[in-house]
């Protein structure tokens, strides 16, 4: 019984379709063409040029595939693999403390720079009448950096805005983390390899106050749990804003933190955190969900 259900007959056989897809997914420069990507017109012209009459793979046109689509026109993405020689040891340690001592694990990082300028976002408005923010040409307020601290066990986020990153500000943040666990038990703080996080004074203070610093590998900030919580912070306090100065911006940020900590399981917060985790996951290296390891020959 015929499977044809009407409509225009298919113009490409399976072999011809495979040939078109193989050409389209090959970089043009590898085929001697002077451009970095195909357009549909360039692809059709190239296929007509290289295919010989009578060739069984000669496409008679470029049409919508009859089979389920396997390839789409997409944006190119970048990736980084950590060159840190201690990458595996650092990731192992982070995994271990998160698994064994979640109530004693904290995370620290800076979020920013935070400037004073209108920032686009989204919101409810009448059709064709979006809320408009003024443009800005002169930015005289400089920037701030939010030094954020996150408690894994309590699911609590706090922090303070500073004029710049520095060892002194990092140490102040670590002291606030230590104060969050006043019983004197050993705590673990996950943070990245910024030089401001690794000063001699910081290491000396950490040893004296029973704080183990668990550094993420180079180019692996995704291993820091606090990163997923910066997404909601950006979405709910920075996007769609037009603060007049840093004082007002900081008050709004702290007001959100108070609301967030009182509503940590709010559906909007959880959805924004999932979205940010998905974005971060796409940047991961080989270890946790990135490019597969090459098998040994």
């Amino acid at each position: 019984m015929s499977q044809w259900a009407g409509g225009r007959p298919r113009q490409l056989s399976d072999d011809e379709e495979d040939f078109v897809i193989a050409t389209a997914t090959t970089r043009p420069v590898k085929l001697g063409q002077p451009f970095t990507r195909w357009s549909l017109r360039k692809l059709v012209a190239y296929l007509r040029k290289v295919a010989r009459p009578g060739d069984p793979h000669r496409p008679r046109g470029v049409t919508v595939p009859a089979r389920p689509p396997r390839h789409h026109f997409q944006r190119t993405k970048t990736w980084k693999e950590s060159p840190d020689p201690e990458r595996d040891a650092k990731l192992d340690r982070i995994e271990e403390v998160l698994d064994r001592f979640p109530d004693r694990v904290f995370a620290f990082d800076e979020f920013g720079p935070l400037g004073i300028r209108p920032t686009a976002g989204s919101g409810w408005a009448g059709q064709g009448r979006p809320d408009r923010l003024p443009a800005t040409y002169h930015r005289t307020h400089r920037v701030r950096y939010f030094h954020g601290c996150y408690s894994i066990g309590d699911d609590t986020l706090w922090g303070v805005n500073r004029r710049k990153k520095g060892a002194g500000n990092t140490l102040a943040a670590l002291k606030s983390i230590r104060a969050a666990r006043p019983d004197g038990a050993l705590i673990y703080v996950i943070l990245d390899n910024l030089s401001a996080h690794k000063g001699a004074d910081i290491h000396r203070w950490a040893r004296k106050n029973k704080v183990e610093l668990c550094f993420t590998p180079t180019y692996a900030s995704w291993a820091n749990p606090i990163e997923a919580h910066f997404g909601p912070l950006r979405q709910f306090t920075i996007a769609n804003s037009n603060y007049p100065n840093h004082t007002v911006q900081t008050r709004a940020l702290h007001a959100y933190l108070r609301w967030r900590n009182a509503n940590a399981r709010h559906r909007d917060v959880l959805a924004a955190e999932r979205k940010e985790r998905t974005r971060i996951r796409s940047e991961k290296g080989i270890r946790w969900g990135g490019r597969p390891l090459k098998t040994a020959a």
Side-chain angles (χ1 to χ4, degrees):
M1 181 177 178
S2 175
Q3 298 296 316
W4 182 61
R8 183 179 180 182
R10 187 179 181 192
Q11 290 189 331
L12 292 180
S13 67
D14 288 349
D15 289 342
E16 289 173 335
E17 184 179 316
D18 289 337
F19 178 73
V20 172
I21 291 175
T23 304
T25 53
T26 301
R27 283 185 172 269
V29 291
K30 293 185 177 181
L31 299 176
Q33 302 303 299
F35 32 84
T36 59
R37 71 173 181 89
W38 296 110
S39 67
L40 188 58
R41 292 186 181 88
K42 291 185 177 71
L43 179 61
V44 171
Y46 177 80
L47 291 171
R48 287 175 176 170
K49 179 180 177 181
V50 301
R52 300 185 302 274
D55 189 328
H57 295 304
R58 181 175 184 267
R60 292 181 291 275
V62 179
T63 62
V64 177
R67 290 179 288 173
R70 295 173 294 173
H71 297 80
H72 305 274
F73 200 79
Q74 305 175 47
R75 292 183 64 86
T76 302
K77 294 185 177 181
T78 60
W79 58 271
K80 289 181 180 180
E81 285 185 358
S82 174
D84 195 326
E86 300 179 1
R87 182 194 63 183
D88 289 337
K90 290 178 178 179
L91 293 179
D92 283 339
R93 187 55 178 164
I94 291 173
E95 286 181 334
E96 180 183 8
V97 299
L98 286 173
D99 183 57
R100 295 182 58 191
F101 316 108
D103 61 324
R104 291 191 277 137
V105 179
F106 298 81
F108 166 75
D109 200 6
E110 295 90 355
F111 170 66
L114 302 175
I116 297 301
R117 60 184 180 86
T119 305
S122 58
W124 293 98
Q127 185 174 2
R129 292 181 173 274
D131 190 20
R132 298 184 182 275
L133 299 175
T136 179
Y137 300 96
H138 303 287
R139 300 175 186 174
T140 59
H141 295 273
R142 301 189 178 182
V143 298
R144 297 290 187 274
Y145 294 91
F146 174 69
H147 288 58
C149 308
Y150 177 65
S151 170
I152 307 298
D154 297 337
D155 191 14
T156 303
L157 182 67
W158 73 94
V160 62
N161 278 358
R162 303 287 189 182
R163 291 180 179 273
K164 61 181 181 179
K165 302 177 184 180
N169 292 333
T170 298
L171 185 56
L174 293 176
K175 288 180 178 180
S176 76
I177 290 175
R178 177 70 271 183
R181 187 67 188 257
D183 59 359
L186 176 65
I187 62 173
Y188 308 89
V189 181
I190 302 173
L191 65 172
D192 63 32
N193 283 281
L194 185 70
S195 60
H197 301 168
K198 305 176 76 172
D201 290 342
I202 292 175
H203 283 285
R204 189 180 306 111
W205 175 88
R207 288 192 298 269
K208 183 178 179 180
N209 290 274
K210 300 178 69 174
V211 176
E212 179 180 332
L213 304 178
C214 302
F215 292 101
T216 61
T218 307
Y219 301 149
S221 59
W222 46 263
N224 192 335
I226 199 175
E227 291 289 340
H229 299 277
F230 285 160
L233 196 66
R234 183 184 300 106
Q235 178 178 334
F236 297 129
T237 65
I238 304 302
N240 205 31
S241 69
N242 184 20
Y243 299 114
N245 52 58
H246 282 295
T247 300
V248 176
Q249 183 187 65
T250 300
R251 288 173 181 169
L253 190 149
H254 285 167
Y256 167 75
L257 291 177
R258 289 191 295 271
W259 178 88
R260 184 260 175 219
N261 291 333
N263 300 272
R265 308 307 297 173
H266 193 282
R267 292 179 63 181
D268 289 346
V269 174
L270 296 178
E273 290 174 0
R274 285 195 299 269
K275 182 178 180 180
E276 187 69 4
R277 286 193 185 96
T278 300
R279 184 190 69 79
I280 296 170
R281 191 178 300 117
S282 68
E283 300 175 355
K284 288 184 178 181
I286 289 175
R287 175 63 171 241
W288 290 338
R291 300 175 72 235
L293 288 170
K294 296 180 180 179
T295 56

